[in-house]
């Protein structure tokens, strides 16, 4: 998989992809993440990419021309399964959506900034609009990082144990059950005996019951 991220503040993403699982995934060639500075596609010597909104109002708008030039340059090199715009008014990000995106080949992500992008960018180029929650960030960079992380960890070979991702919260519309590690007894607080029994079928049954209980208590909407 290849993920191209278009942003006007590329340095915000440097550290995120340079460590841990995401770094190893790139080193092992499971995924290629390329960050593009929209300012490199500006149409003037000052590298300006924003302007006032027609009709007035507070805040600046990312112009269509540099974004269009960047998108078209990339499309000239390869085909993209989705061109995603990260925006608060997009479709709510959910695990089912992430699962589907993890099966794609090439993804492009556009990060909004200021008051957002010229609507014509969304009309002409964007194929999918995604929100990571009902709140507003300073830009779409963190949202692109969150979405990329959720996708990349599902690519076969990225996690040491590929079944790990399948038991995460939301995969079956259930929250994950409690997990424990050593020591078995911490100041009188003990690990449930069933987890140390070695009885795989009973352990799985216990985990399902705990997932169901936790979901009913914390996210009953997932069971509707």
């Amino acid at each position: 998989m290849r993920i191209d991220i278009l942003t006007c503040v590329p340095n915000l993403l440097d550290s995120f992809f340079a460590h841990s699982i995401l770094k190893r995934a790139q080193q092992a060639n499971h995924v290629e993440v390329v960050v593009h500075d929209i300012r490199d596609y500006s149409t003037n010597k000052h590298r300006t990419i924003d302007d006032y909104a027609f009709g007035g109002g507070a805040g600046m708008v990312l112009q269509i021309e540099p974004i269009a030039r960047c998108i078209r340059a990339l499309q000239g090199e390869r085909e993209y399964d989705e061109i995603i715009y990260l925006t608060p008014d997009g479709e709510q990000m959910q695990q089912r959506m992430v699962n589907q995106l993890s099966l794609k080949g090439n993804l492009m992500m556009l990060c909004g900034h200021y008051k957002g992008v010229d609507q014509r960018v969304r009309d002409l180029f964007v194929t999918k609009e995604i929100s990571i929650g009902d709140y507003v960030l300073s830009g779409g960079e963190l949202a692109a990082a969150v979405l990329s992380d959720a996708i990349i960890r599902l690519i076969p070979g990225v996690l040491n144990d590929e079944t790990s991702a399948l038991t995460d919260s939301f995969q079956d519309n259930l929250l994950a059950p409690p997990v424990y590690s050593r020591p078995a007894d911490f100041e009188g607080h003990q690990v449930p005996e069933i987890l140390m029994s070695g009885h795989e079928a009973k352990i799985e049954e216990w985990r399902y019951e705990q997932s169901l209980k936790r979901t009913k208590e914390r996210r009953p909407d997932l069971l509707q």
Side-chain angles (χ1 to χ4, degrees), residues 137-155:
L137 300 170
S138 298
E141 289 75 23
L142 288 176
V146 168
L147 179 59
S148 297
D149 184 295
I151 292 171
I152 292 171
R153 67 191 307 277
L154 295 178
I155 298 174

Side-chain angles (χ1 to χ4, degrees), residues 178-197 206 210:
V179 293
Y180 300 86
S181 186
R182 295 184 178 86
D185 186 329
F186 174 72
E187 298 179 355
H189 299 274
Q190 298 184 347
V191 173
E193 290 187 13
I194 184 65
L195 296 179
M196 298 183 289
S197 68
W206 179 89
Q210 292 297 312

Side-chain angles (χ1 to χ4, degrees), residues 33-133:
V33 179
V34 184
V35 179
H36 304 269
D37 189 345
I38 298 173
R39 294 185 188 279
D40 292 339
Y41 297 84
S42 174
T43 57
N44 63 74
K45 63 181 181 180
H46 302 294
R47 305 182 79 223
T48 304
I49 58 172
D50 62 302
D51 205 341
Y52 295 104
F54 281 120
M60 305 294 280
V61 177
L62 289 178
Q63 297 171 289
I64 185 172
E65 288 180 310
I67 296 174
R69 291 178 67 183
C70 183
I71 291 175
R72 285 169 173 161
L74 292 172
Q75 287 179 322
E77 299 174 357
R78 67 190 60 79
E79 293 185 2
Y80 287 88
D81 298 290
E82 298 283 2
I83 299 179
I84 301 168
Y85 177 47
L86 287 308
T87 173
D89 60 352
E91 180 183 356
Q92 192 84 26
M93 177 180 166
Q94 296 184 352
Q95 190 63 46
R96 184 180 297 107
M97 175 198 298
V98 174
N99 291 348
Q100 293 171 349
L101 290 174
S102 73
L103 302 176
K104 304 295 185 180
N106 298 318
L107 299 175
M108 189 187 303
M109 299 184 189
L110 172 61
C111 303
H113 217 71
Y114 311 118
K115 294 297 287 185
V117 302
D118 187 305
Q119 179 62 38
R120 291 167 292 184
V121 173
R122 302 168 75 166
D123 296 339
L124 296 174
F125 298 104
V126 172
T127 63
K128 194 174 190 63
E129 300 185 348
I130 297 177
S131 167
I132 64 168

